[in-house]
Amino acid sequence: MTPEPSQNNAEGRPEPPEDADGLLDLNRAVGRQVKLLRERAGLTQKELGDRLGYGEDLVSSLERGRRTPQPEFLDAADDLLGAGGLLKATKEDVARAKARARVRHPAWFRDYARLEGEAVEVNDYSSHDIPGLFQTELRARALYGMRTPLLDETTIEQRVTSRLARQDILTKWPPPMITAVIEESVLRRPIGGADVHKGQMGHLLALGHLRSVELQVMPMERDEHAGMGGSFILLTPKGKPQVGYVEIQDIARLATDAEEVRILAARYGSIRAQALTPRESLALIERMQTEL
């Protein structure tokens, strides 16, 4: 499942969320600072990520302004790179810009975006794609680039940035518990080409080793499958009841009825039971990556 806000107005023109440009400009400015400090320290993106406990893809996205830096990253990077408080000083500005941009989602997506940002638990069954929270920048860009009808470059850029911004919950503290079941067929489809696909598989392996993430694969050989009804997400916001989210084509719906959510939760439990275990799943993904 990869829910995203629509960014077209009633006349079909691209329309970014209000205040989103301010956040993007700030992200780019902070990203340039991180890059300059990293290069001054003689570190590659991978080396910086390894020392801070983040993936190379995340560091790259931060430096390019595609992702909003979390306070924990700014604190750790400031200390490691000897920034003397330069990065730490940006935390309040980033938080304010992020808050202004967050509330500007289109009305139909606003509730989901707010609940996802507050979630203490996210459960995602994806029957046709990598979950949006797990996608690399290159895969997201490839997906939007192949949309029919075609999207213009400005809209593609806005939507990629929006998708990556949602992934901030993976690096905040405390992180939500995230479980995901992905179809094996999805992992065998090289969206974006071999290099993009190999990078995506490596990113899944890195995420699958996080303490807050449990990643499972539904093997193609199963002759029973509880998820034939399609993809869905279950969210548990802090202090609130669990809700469901279902999206197909351009139709999205947030499910709050207790009985409907209960059925989705029971179905998700069956799907997880039929899938490979997290350890088996990571082993399969690793084997598949070596074959690329």
Side-chain angles (χ1 to χ4, degrees):
M1 292 289 290
T2 53
E4 296 293 344
S6 171
Q7 293 177 314
N8 291 329
N9 59 22
E11 297 177 355
R13 295 192 303 270
E15 183 178 16
E18 296 177 39
D19 290 329
D21 288 343
L23 178 61
L24 292 177
D25 289 342
L26 184 57
N27 285 351
R28 293 187 184 110
V30 174
R32 285 193 292 269
Q33 292 176 352
V34 172
K35 181 179 180 181
L36 287 171
L37 290 165
R38 173 182 61 77
E39 291 177 341
R40 187 184 69 178
L43 298 175
T44 65
Q45 291 178 339
K46 185 178 187 306
E47 290 170 338
L48 177 60
D50 288 344
R51 296 192 186 188
L52 296 179
Y54 296 96
E56 180 181 2
D57 183 72
L58 183 141
V59 174
S60 174
S61 294
L62 284 170
E63 290 188 354
R64 298 175 64 188
R66 309 295 190 198
R67 191 189 300 260
T68 303
Q70 291 293 325
E72 296 83 3
F73 177 89
L74 294 171
D75 285 337
D78 193 288
D79 293 337
L80 177 65
L81 299 175
L86 176 65
L87 296 178
K88 293 179 180 180
T90 66
K91 289 192 296 184
E92 290 187 7
D93 291 334
V94 170
R96 283 195 295 268
K98 185 177 176 182
R100 288 195 300 268
R102 183 184 295 119
V103 299
R104 302 301 184 180
H105 289 299
W108 69 268
F109 185 75
R110 194 171 299 150
D111 287 342
Y112 177 86
R114 174 177 54 81
L115 292 172
E116 185 181 68
E118 299 172 358
V120 295
E121 184 177 345
V122 180
N123 303 304
D124 189 316
Y125 166 59
S126 293
S127 63
H128 69 284
D129 200 2
I130 303 291
L133 290 178
F134 292 172
Q135 289 178 11
T136 64
E137 177 183 347
L138 292 178
R139 183 183 176 95
R141 193 173 301 281
L143 287 166
Y144 284 125
M146 65 180 65
R147 281 287 179 90
T148 303
L150 296 176
L151 300 175
D152 60 76
E153 291 301 322
T154 298
T155 301
I156 291 174
E157 190 69 22
Q158 291 165 357
R159 295 193 181 184
V160 169
T161 300
S162 175
R163 179 159 295 181
L164 295 179
R166 288 176 46 226
Q167 297 175 4
D168 288 347
I169 66 171
L170 295 170
T171 55
K172 75 176 185 179
W173 187 262
M177 292 303 300
I178 300 178
T179 71
V181 181
I182 306 173
E183 291 290 332
E184 180 183 347
S185 58
V186 170
L187 300 178
R188 295 194 178 279
R189 185 174 300 120
I191 297 294
D195 290 341
V196 172
H197 187 54
K198 188 171 185 178
Q200 176 66 73
M201 298 291 275
H203 188 55
L204 286 177
L205 285 172
L207 292 174
H209 284 97
L210 295 177
R211 290 185 298 158
S212 58
V213 174
E214 289 191 354
L215 177 61
Q216 292 178 257
V217 176
M218 179 66 79
M220 296 171 63
E221 65 188 20
R222 290 292 189 260
D223 57 8
E224 291 186 357
H225 194 327
M228 296 303 289
S231 303
F232 61 91
I233 296 174
L234 289 164
L235 289 178
T236 305
K238 186 175 182 179
K240 298 178 182 178
Q242 189 175 56
V243 299
Y245 182 88
V246 179
E247 181 180 293
I248 182 170
Q249 297 296 335
D250 295 323
I251 302 172
R253 188 169 68 87
L254 194 64
T256 57
D257 177 75
E259 179 63 11
E260 184 176 1
V261 174
R262 183 193 68 79
I263 292 172
L264 286 175
R267 189 172 296 155
Y268 189 72
S270 296
I271 292 170
R272 291 198 72 189
Q274 293 167 343
L276 299 176
T277 67
R279 179 174 295 182
E280 293 169 338
S281 298
L282 291 180
L284 174 61
I285 294 172
E286 189 169 4
R287 289 197 303 272
M288 293 171 64
Q289 187 190 36
T290 60
E291 295 169 359
L292 296 176

